[in-house]
Amino acid sequence: MSESSLAELLRSRGLRLTAQRQLVLQAVLDLGHATPEQVHTAVREVAAGVNITTIYRTLELLERLGLVTHTHLSHGSPTYHAAGEHQHVHLVCRECGAIDEISPEMLRPLADQLAGQRGFQVDIGHVALFGVCGRCAQDGEQR
């Protein structure tokens, strides 16, 4: 998102474009998938005075504005990524921590079955599957 588009969106909601808001959004876009702590590290490389509380508040604001979204990929902090990206399911390796993505269409049959049988609507953009990636599985077999 361009700086002028972000400024317009914020103004339409009665908010100002601040350097911190711009830096946090840019860090999420640059990092792809990032925890607030990772965003904080990236932002501090440019603006050393930004504290972690500002990062959390800014991420919450950017999510309310529909610019970023989060998912829980571990027991720790949520992981943020740009909301404009295509929806995807996260594959998280418990061994090496790698994060991969698959198309939500791979889960569509399960989502449709849950909707039909239980009336439950799956938010596929927040789905994370945990397991062992192919590389770690192969490494484990070689041991």
Side-chain angles (χ1 to χ4, degrees), residues 12-60:
S12 74
R13 305 280 177 96
L15 302 167
R16 294 180 301 116
L17 174 60
T18 64
Q20 290 92 344
R21 290 172 180 164
Q22 188 173 356
L23 288 170
V24 169
L25 179 58
Q26 192 59 54
V28 171
L29 296 174
D30 291 345
L31 294 169
H33 291 93
T35 64
E37 292 77 13
Q38 291 167 323
V39 171
H40 184 233
T41 298
V43 168
R44 286 193 54 170
E45 289 178 8
V46 179
V50 178
N51 64 44
I52 191 70
T53 303
T54 299
I55 300 296
Y56 274 98
R57 287 183 182 151
T58 303
L59 287 168
E60 289 172 6

Side-chain angles (χ1 to χ4, degrees), residues 93 96 100 131-141:
C93 180
C96 69
D100 200 359
V132 178
C133 71
R135 186 180 57 218
C136 288
Q138 185 178 15
D139 289 349
E141 291 172 6

Side-chain angles (χ1 to χ4, degrees), residues 80-109:
Y80 288 83
H81 59 276
E85 293 180 355
H86 63 283
Q87 267 202 332
H88 53 273
V89 175
H90 298 94
L91 303 177
V92 183
C93 180
R94 289 189 188 275
E95 296 290 323
C96 69
I99 300 170
D100 200 359
E101 301 171 0
I102 60 171
S103 167
E105 293 310 309
M106 291 185 76
L107 293 185
R108 182 62 48 213

Side-chain angles (χ1 to χ4, degrees), residues 57-90:
R57 287 183 182 151
T58 303
L59 287 168
E60 289 172 6
L61 171 66
L62 294 174
E63 189 162 25
R64 282 195 311 271
L65 293 172
L67 298 173
V68 301
T69 189
H70 80 276
T71 192
H72 295 273
L73 300 181
S74 68
H75 293 293
S77 298
T79 299
Y80 288 83
H81 59 276
E85 293 180 355
H86 63 283
Q87 267 202 332
H88 53 273
V89 175
H90 298 94

